[in-house]
Structures are given as structure tokens and as C-alpha cells.
Amino acid sequence: MSSEDTVRAAVGGAAAGRPPLLRGQGPVVGVVALGGALGASARYGAGLLWPNSGPAQFPWTTLLVNVAGCALIGVLLVAVTEGRPVHPLVRPFLGTGVLGGFTTFSTYAVDVHRLLAAGRPGPGLAYLGLTLVAAMAAVWAGAGLTRQLIGLRSSGRTR
């Protein structure tokens, strides 16, 4: 079977009577694409508002975008798994789409390379480690705070 036949079978379900792999996935693909466009646009806007000029400048904008996005991922995942029931498209729209488009670990890798190539190994390695630690801490903090808020609401207490 050619690669074209394989793709046609996956999309159309023509091979061996199997159901198509992508059947019913249109709404998910659509909300991920829409969310990704929104998240990437927000990240681009952050870069316009707080540009890092020059290859040797510390990439604060990328660091802050990634940490903020990771905190929101922690909030989202707890909210959709432990909070009130949500529509099945909320998680792919917000998580994979918006926050996946907003966070940019590919730019993070390019920024590390750029700092190292500019002869700034100290800031490059600091950025490498700081981003990883801060991103993980942000997910943990976002998830923990959301769990506390959900717990307060479910027990009837509010602040």
C-alpha cells in the first residue's frame, strides 16, 4: 500500500473495513486550531509589547510567557479534572490550543542557543535551568491553588 493509500484509508476508512481514524475528530481539530491561533497571537503580542532586542539579551519575555502559560495549564488541568464537569472540547481548546500556542519551548531552545552563540554561557545556562524549574513550579503552584479553591467551594466556605 502506498503512503497515499495509507492516508486515504486513515481519513476515509477504506482499508480492511476499519473505521477511519479521523472520523468524528473535526470538532477537536477545529477547536485546537482556533485555540492555537489565539494563543500564538497572544504570545506574538507579548513579544511586541516586551521585545528582546539583540541576540545577547536575556529572553525575559519568553521566560515569562512560558511560566505564565505553565501556571495556567496547572489551573486548567485541575479545573477540568477535579472541578465542575465541562464540555469535552474545553480541554483541547484551552490546553492544547490556547496554552499550547501561547507557550513556546521551541523559542526557549533557540534563545538558549542564541545566548551560547553570543558568547554568554552563564546567562544561557541560567536561562536553561531557570525556565525548567520555574515552569514546573508554576504548574505545581497553579494546580495547588486551584485545588484549594475547589476545596473551599465544595466545602461551602468562601473567602
mmCIF file of all heavy atoms in Angstrom, residues 8-34:
data_model
loop_
_atom_site.group_PDB
_atom_site.id
_atom_site.type_symbol
_atom_site.label_atom_id
_atom_site.label_comp_id
_atom_site.label_asym_id
_atom_site.label_seq_id
_atom_site.Cartn_x
_atom_site.Cartn_y
_atom_site.Cartn_z
ATOM 1 N N ARG A 8 -5.287 7.936 2.729
ATOM 2 C CA ARG A 8 -6.686 7.855 2.295
ATOM 3 C C ARG A 8 -7.473 6.878 3.178
ATOM 4 O O ARG A 8 -8.594 7.144 3.575
ATOM 5 C CB ARG A 8 -6.754 7.425 0.825
ATOM 6 C CG ARG A 8 -8.139 7.527 0.246
ATOM 7 C CD ARG A 8 -8.201 7.179 -1.247
ATOM 8 N NE ARG A 8 -7.389 8.087 -2.035
ATOM 9 C CZ ARG A 8 -6.348 7.700 -2.797
ATOM 10 N NH1 ARG A 8 -6.002 6.428 -2.863
ATOM 11 N NH2 ARG A 8 -5.665 8.577 -3.480
ATOM 12 N N ALA A 9 -6.846 5.756 3.535
ATOM 13 C CA ALA A 9 -7.516 4.781 4.390
ATOM 14 C C ALA A 9 -7.753 5.340 5.786
ATOM 15 O O ALA A 9 -8.803 5.127 6.394
ATOM 16 C CB ALA A 9 -6.685 3.502 4.469
ATOM 17 N N ALA A 10 -6.765 6.066 6.320
ATOM 18 C CA ALA A 10 -6.909 6.631 7.665
ATOM 19 C C ALA A 10 -8.022 7.665 7.701
ATOM 20 O O ALA A 10 -8.808 7.720 8.642
ATOM 21 C CB ALA A 10 -5.596 7.257 8.116
ATOM 22 N N VAL A 11 -8.079 8.484 6.680
ATOM 23 C CA VAL A 11 -9.086 9.536 6.657
ATOM 24 C C VAL A 11 -10.447 8.988 6.241
ATOM 25 O O VAL A 11 -11.463 9.294 6.839
ATOM 26 C CB VAL A 11 -8.650 10.690 5.710
ATOM 27 C CG1 VAL A 11 -9.749 11.726 5.563
ATOM 28 C CG2 VAL A 11 -7.386 11.327 6.231
ATOM 29 N N GLY A 12 -10.444 8.121 5.243
ATOM 30 C CA GLY A 12 -11.721 7.644 4.713
ATOM 31 C C GLY A 12 -12.131 6.283 5.203
ATOM 32 O O GLY A 12 -13.261 5.848 4.961
ATOM 33 N N GLY A 13 -11.263 5.540 5.851
ATOM 34 C CA GLY A 13 -11.609 4.238 6.389
ATOM 35 C C GLY A 13 -11.720 3.155 5.349
ATOM 36 O O GLY A 13 -12.413 2.163 5.551
ATOM 37 N N ALA A 14 -11.017 3.278 4.207
ATOM 38 C CA ALA A 14 -11.180 2.343 3.114
ATOM 39 C C ALA A 14 -10.414 1.051 3.303
ATOM 40 O O ALA A 14 -10.706 0.070 2.646
ATOM 41 C CB ALA A 14 -10.750 3.005 1.804
ATOM 42 N N ALA A 15 -9.423 0.995 4.156
ATOM 43 C CA ALA A 15 -8.578 -0.195 4.282
ATOM 44 C C ALA A 15 -9.189 -1.210 5.233
ATOM 45 O O ALA A 15 -9.489 -0.911 6.370
ATOM 46 C CB ALA A 15 -7.192 0.201 4.767
ATOM 47 N N ALA A 16 -9.342 -2.415 4.762
ATOM 48 C CA ALA A 16 -9.727 -3.582 5.573
ATOM 49 C C ALA A 16 -10.967 -3.356 6.432
ATOM 50 O O ALA A 16 -11.091 -3.917 7.496
ATOM 51 C CB ALA A 16 -8.554 -4.002 6.451
ATOM 52 N N GLY A 17 -11.877 -2.525 5.985
ATOM 53 C CA GLY A 17 -13.123 -2.317 6.705
ATOM 54 C C GLY A 17 -12.969 -1.620 8.039
ATOM 55 O O GLY A 17 -13.892 -1.614 8.845
ATOM 56 N N ARG A 18 -11.807 -1.045 8.314
ATOM 57 C CA ARG A 18 -11.595 -0.340 9.579
ATOM 58 C C ARG A 18 -12.294 1.015 9.550
ATOM 59 O O ARG A 18 -12.369 1.647 8.510
ATOM 60 C CB ARG A 18 -10.108 -0.124 9.835
ATOM 61 C CG ARG A 18 -9.368 -1.399 10.145
ATOM 62 C CD ARG A 18 -7.924 -1.127 10.391
ATOM 63 N NE ARG A 18 -7.338 -0.683 9.120
ATOM 64 C CZ ARG A 18 -6.160 -0.101 9.001
ATOM 65 N NH1 ARG A 18 -5.431 0.129 10.054
ATOM 66 N NH2 ARG A 18 -5.687 0.264 7.829
ATOM 67 N N PRO A 19 -12.748 1.478 10.715
ATOM 68 C CA PRO A 19 -13.314 2.830 10.752
ATOM 69 C C PRO A 19 -12.196 3.845 10.546
ATOM 70 O O PRO A 19 -11.055 3.594 10.920
ATOM 71 C CB PRO A 19 -13.911 2.945 12.154
ATOM 72 C CG PRO A 19 -13.184 1.931 12.956
ATOM 73 C CD PRO A 19 -12.805 0.823 12.003
ATOM 74 N N PRO A 20 -12.495 4.966 9.946
ATOM 75 C CA PRO A 20 -11.461 5.972 9.726
ATOM 76 C C PRO A 20 -10.942 6.528 11.050
ATOM 77 O O PRO A 20 -11.703 6.711 11.997
ATOM 78 C CB PRO A 20 -12.159 7.048 8.909
ATOM 79 C CG PRO A 20 -13.603 6.846 9.179
ATOM 80 C CD PRO A 20 -13.795 5.377 9.461
ATOM 81 N N LEU A 21 -9.643 6.767 11.108
ATOM 82 C CA LEU A 21 -9.024 7.265 12.328
ATOM 83 C C LEU A 21 -9.466 8.676 12.670
ATOM 84 O O LEU A 21 -9.511 9.051 13.827
ATOM 85 C CB LEU A 21 -7.494 7.233 12.194
ATOM 86 C CG LEU A 21 -6.873 5.862 12.032
ATOM 87 C CD1 LEU A 21 -5.371 5.988 11.784
ATOM 88 C CD2 LEU A 21 -7.138 4.993 13.238
ATOM 89 N N LEU A 22 -9.752 9.474 11.667
ATOM 90 C CA LEU A 22 -10.069 10.870 11.909
ATOM 91 C C LEU A 22 -11.563 11.158 11.955
ATOM 92 O O LEU A 22 -11.955 12.293 12.185
ATOM 93 C CB LEU A 22 -9.395 11.756 10.852
ATOM 94 C CG LEU A 22 -7.868 11.680 10.823
ATOM 95 C CD1 LEU A 22 -7.315 12.560 9.704
ATOM 96 C CD2 LEU A 22 -7.269 12.074 12.144
ATOM 97 N N ARG A 23 -12.389 10.153 11.741
ATOM 98 C CA ARG A 23 -13.831 10.388 11.755
ATOM 99 C C ARG A 23 -14.260 10.883 13.131
ATOM 100 O O ARG A 23 -13.883 10.358 14.153
ATOM 101 C CB ARG A 23 -14.602 9.120 11.432
ATOM 102 C CG ARG A 23 -16.110 9.363 11.444
ATOM 103 C CD ARG A 23 -16.897 8.202 10.948
ATOM 104 N NE ARG A 23 -16.704 8.148 9.507
ATOM 105 C CZ ARG A 23 -16.808 7.039 8.799
ATOM 106 N NH1 ARG A 23 -17.079 5.896 9.373
ATOM 107 N NH2 ARG A 23 -16.629 7.053 7.504
ATOM 108 N N GLY A 24 -15.028 11.942 13.154
ATOM 109 C CA GLY A 24 -15.519 12.499 14.403
ATOM 110 C C GLY A 24 -14.535 13.431 15.100
ATOM 111 O O GLY A 24 -14.835 13.962 16.162
ATOM 112 N N GLN A 25 -13.354 13.604 14.534
ATOM 113 C CA GLN A 25 -12.340 14.439 15.167
ATOM 114 C C GLN A 25 -12.366 15.878 14.666
ATOM 115 O O GLN A 25 -11.605 16.711 15.143
ATOM 116 C CB GLN A 25 -10.945 13.847 14.946
ATOM 117 C CG GLN A 25 -10.754 12.506 15.616
ATOM 118 C CD GLN A 25 -10.954 12.591 17.118
ATOM 119 O OE1 GLN A 25 -10.365 13.424 17.788
ATOM 120 N NE2 GLN A 25 -11.801 11.737 17.653
ATOM 121 N N GLY A 26 -13.225 16.167 13.714
ATOM 122 C CA GLY A 26 -13.297 17.518 13.151
ATOM 123 C C GLY A 26 -13.472 18.607 14.199
ATOM 124 O O GLY A 26 -12.740 19.599 14.180
ATOM 125 N N PRO A 27 -14.424 18.460 15.129
ATOM 126 C CA PRO A 27 -14.582 19.498 16.150
ATOM 127 C C PRO A 27 -13.333 19.679 17.013
ATOM 128 O O PRO A 27 -12.962 20.802 17.347
ATOM 129 C CB PRO A 27 -15.768 19.006 16.987
ATOM 130 C CG PRO A 27 -16.542 18.129 16.065
ATOM 131 C CD PRO A 27 -15.506 17.469 15.195
ATOM 132 N N VAL A 28 -12.669 18.586 17.357
ATOM 133 C CA VAL A 28 -11.465 18.687 18.188
ATOM 134 C C VAL A 28 -10.360 19.398 17.409
ATOM 135 O O VAL A 28 -9.721 20.321 17.924
ATOM 136 C CB VAL A 28 -10.988 17.294 18.659
ATOM 137 C CG1 VAL A 28 -9.663 17.389 19.399
ATOM 138 C CG2 VAL A 28 -12.042 16.633 19.532
ATOM 139 N N VAL A 29 -10.152 18.987 16.168
ATOM 140 C CA VAL A 29 -9.132 19.630 15.339
ATOM 141 C C VAL A 29 -9.460 21.116 15.177
ATOM 142 O O VAL A 29 -8.579 21.974 15.263
ATOM 143 C CB VAL A 29 -9.012 18.933 13.968
ATOM 144 C CG1 VAL A 29 -8.119 19.718 13.018
ATOM 145 C CG2 VAL A 29 -8.496 17.511 14.149
ATOM 146 N N GLY A 30 -10.722 21.428 14.982
ATOM 147 C CA GLY A 30 -11.135 22.824 14.812
ATOM 148 C C GLY A 30 -10.872 23.675 16.042
ATOM 149 O O GLY A 30 -10.334 24.785 15.928
ATOM 150 N N VAL A 31 -11.232 23.167 17.234
ATOM 151 C CA VAL A 31 -11.025 23.983 18.441
ATOM 152 C C VAL A 31 -9.551 24.087 18.790
ATOM 153 O O VAL A 31 -9.102 25.116 19.303
ATOM 154 C CB VAL A 31 -11.860 23.502 19.662
ATOM 155 C CG1 VAL A 31 -13.352 23.582 19.375
ATOM 156 C CG2 VAL A 31 -11.459 22.122 20.128
ATOM 157 N N VAL A 32 -8.769 23.040 18.502
ATOM 158 C CA VAL A 32 -7.318 23.127 18.743
ATOM 159 C C VAL A 32 -6.709 24.176 17.812
ATOM 160 O O VAL A 32 -5.886 24.994 18.238
ATOM 161 C CB VAL A 32 -6.633 21.754 18.572
ATOM 162 C CG1 VAL A 32 -5.120 21.888 18.522
ATOM 163 C CG2 VAL A 32 -7.042 20.809 19.695
ATOM 164 N N ALA A 33 -7.118 24.170 16.548
ATOM 165 C CA ALA A 33 -6.590 25.152 15.590
ATOM 166 C C ALA A 33 -6.976 26.574 15.990
ATOM 167 O O ALA A 33 -6.137 27.484 15.978
ATOM 168 C CB ALA A 33 -7.095 24.835 14.183
ATOM 169 N N LEU A 34 -8.229 26.770 16.352
ATOM 170 C CA LEU A 34 -8.681 28.100 16.775
ATOM 171 C C LEU A 34 -7.940 28.547 18.040
ATOM 172 O O LEU A 34 -7.435 29.664 18.115
ATOM 173 C CB LEU A 34 -10.191 28.103 17.015
ATOM 174 C CG LEU A 34 -10.781 29.407 17.551
ATOM 175 C CD1 LEU A 34 -10.555 30.545 16.561
ATOM 176 C CD2 LEU A 34 -12.263 29.226 17.840
#
